[in-house]
Amino acid sequence: MSSADEVVVHEALPSRVLVGPGASDLVADEVARIGAGRVLLVAAPSAAGPADRIAGALGARLAARFDRPAPHTPVAVTARALEAAAGADCVVAVGGGSAIGLAKAVSARTGMPQVAVPTTYAGSEMTPVLGETEDGVKTTRRAPGLAPGTVVYDPRLTLGMPSGLTRTSAMNALAHAVEALWAPDATTVTDALATEAAAGILAALPEVLDDPTGLEGRARLQSAAWPAGICLAQTRMGLHHQLAHVLGGAFGLPHAELHTMLLAHVMAFNLPSAPAASARLTRVAGPDPVAVVAALARAHRGPTRLSALGVPRERLREMAERVAADPYPNPRRPDADAVAELLDAMW
Ligand code: NAD
């Protein structure tokens, strides 16, 4: 939370957001509203069904379709999508963060307006950030124009999400809200968004895991992940995201599963040094927020430890030293010994 003697800048991004069951039926209308006539449709293979429907509604305005987005936006994949994009004046992305990242990369190179139709809770559609990889090196850029101008949240598109992805992707969103609460540039606006997001995710996720095809629960979970995405865009992320970036980059780990593994550990590490965040989380999660989040993570039927992801234990110290050498803003100083201990517990 910002202190009383500091100036913090809150910059809301202009985005038009459609929310609700059936919203994705309006994508063609949104494209017309932008004034675009030739669409590049980028869709994850998992989103082939909704992409077919959107393609049908676009009719002759569909210029090309690209269905091979990849995690962390490799520039070689972007080059192939750009070849397909010749003649297009708008890009529509349907899928998770990988599809949305590819649309951002296309837009960054062509200036094309974007319509994002997310099918996970990762939140990229709310951010002006693009991470790209080339020869195994990830670079990140931030510019207001990278944020999709139109976002379409249709909970129907999340009904078929497997339980594992539902859990890990929702935990990814929860991590955005939690880190926003202890961010140095938090404001009353981000505090409100983060608290609402955390409360909504913690209430809706168990409900959705019990009844994965229940539209009301899915709608609530998606609507709670939305403000978590805004938190990711508007505050500086701390130790949790630094560990996700350092470990994810070094070992090529799955994004959402890594977030799921990390969150309770980082909360236990930070919350004693972040009383305001702790009070808000206690309000929405009960007296022991760490235990609530740890239980959600432990119940994952995929890897729940770094060892299960193939991370060698002898490299944990090096990771901790990298974090300590140039830490992201964090309520507790992440010295190498303490971070190494945290990583060892995760291992
Ligand atoms: P993803 O887009 O890679 O999707 C993971 C897998 O789930 C894919 O196989 C996808 O096809 C499948 N999938 C997606 N939606 C589905 C659904 N509804 N039903 C069934 N399967 C579905 O993963 P993600 O976690 O959404 O995004 C991760 C990527 O996004 C990473 O590259 C990350 O760096 C990036 N990201 C960027 C930002 C940003 O602000 N720039 C924010 C969050 C994530």
Side-chain angles (χ1 to χ4, degrees):
M1 179 72 180
S2 58
S3 64
D5 57 357
E6 255 179 279
V7 175
V8 167
V9 177
H10 175 89
E11 192 176 4
L13 295 161
S15 79
R16 177 177 159 92
V17 183
L18 283 69
V19 200
S24 61
D25 296 339
L26 303 175
V27 168
D29 296 347
E30 289 300 311
V31 166
R33 193 174 181 280
I34 295 169
R38 305 280 298 150
V39 173
L40 168 67
L41 179 60
V42 171
S46 56
D52 287 346
R53 284 198 297 280
I54 290 168
L58 287 168
R61 282 175 294 161
L62 180 68
R65 197 162 155 172
F66 187 87
D67 60 7
R68 291 179 307 281
H72 309 299
T73 331
V75 295
V77 173
T78 301
R80 286 199 289 280
L82 284 167
E83 278 170 30
D89 59 4
C90 171
V91 56
V92 174
V94 193
S98 297
I100 291 167
L102 175 56
K104 286 180 174 177
V106 166
S107 174
R109 288 160 176 80
T110 60
M112 280 195 249
Q114 305 168 57
V115 178
V117 189
T119 64
T120 68
Y121 309 116
S124 178
E125 68 281 355
M126 282 296 136
T127 81
V129 178
L130 168 63
E132 298 183 280
T133 45
E134 185 165 29
D135 302 325
V137 178
K138 184 160 181 171
T139 50
T140 299
R141 53 173 135 166
R142 184 182 185 102
L146 287 173
T150 307
V151 177
V152 177
Y153 286 117
D154 187 341
R156 290 184 321 186
L157 272 48
T158 62
L159 292 176
M161 243 173 140
S163 290
L165 180 64
T166 299
R167 182 189 301 274
T168 58
S169 191
M171 294 286 278
N172 186 186
L174 182 61
H176 302 149
V178 169
E179 287 235 284
L181 287 174
W182 59 51
D185 51 354
T187 64
T188 50
V189 173
T190 60
D191 278 347
L193 292 171
T195 308
E196 182 69 15
I201 293 166
L202 289 171
L205 177 58
E207 185 188 337
V208 169
L209 291 170
D210 273 352
D211 178 17
T213 57
L215 187 59
E216 277 184 27
R218 284 287 184 183
R220 273 198 287 277
L221 186 53
Q222 189 180 51
S223 286
W226 166 24
I230 304 177
C231 288
L232 173 65
Q234 297 204 326
T235 56
R236 294 175 68 198
M237 296 282 117
L239 178 62
H240 175 96
H241 279 77
Q242 184 168 23
L243 285 171
H245 293 158
V246 168
L247 293 166
F251 305 112
L253 307 180
H255 182 82
E257 281 183 327
L258 181 56
H259 278 275
T260 304
M261 245 177 244
L262 276 166
L263 186 57
H265 291 277
V266 177
M267 285 169 67
F269 184 87
N270 274 350
L271 284 177
S273 310
S278 189
R280 282 179 177 269
L281 288 170
T282 303
R283 222 166 71 204
V284 302
D288 193 350
V290 174
V292 171
V293 173
L296 282 168
R298 252 196 326 272
H300 178 45
R301 288 209 195 95
T304 55
R305 296 183 169 278
L306 284 178
S307 49
L309 290 176
V311 175
R313 194 174 198 175
E314 61 277 11
R315 302 247 345 245
L316 297 180
R317 179 81 208 176
E318 175 197 336
M319 299 296 120
E321 277 168 9
R322 267 199 226 171
V323 168
D326 189 12
Y328 290 11
N330 195 58
R332 175 174 163 194
R333 198 172 66 85
D335 68 64
D337 287 344
V339 175
E341 205 176 295
L342 184 156
L343 290 177
D344 208 56
M346 279 179 63
W347 196 88

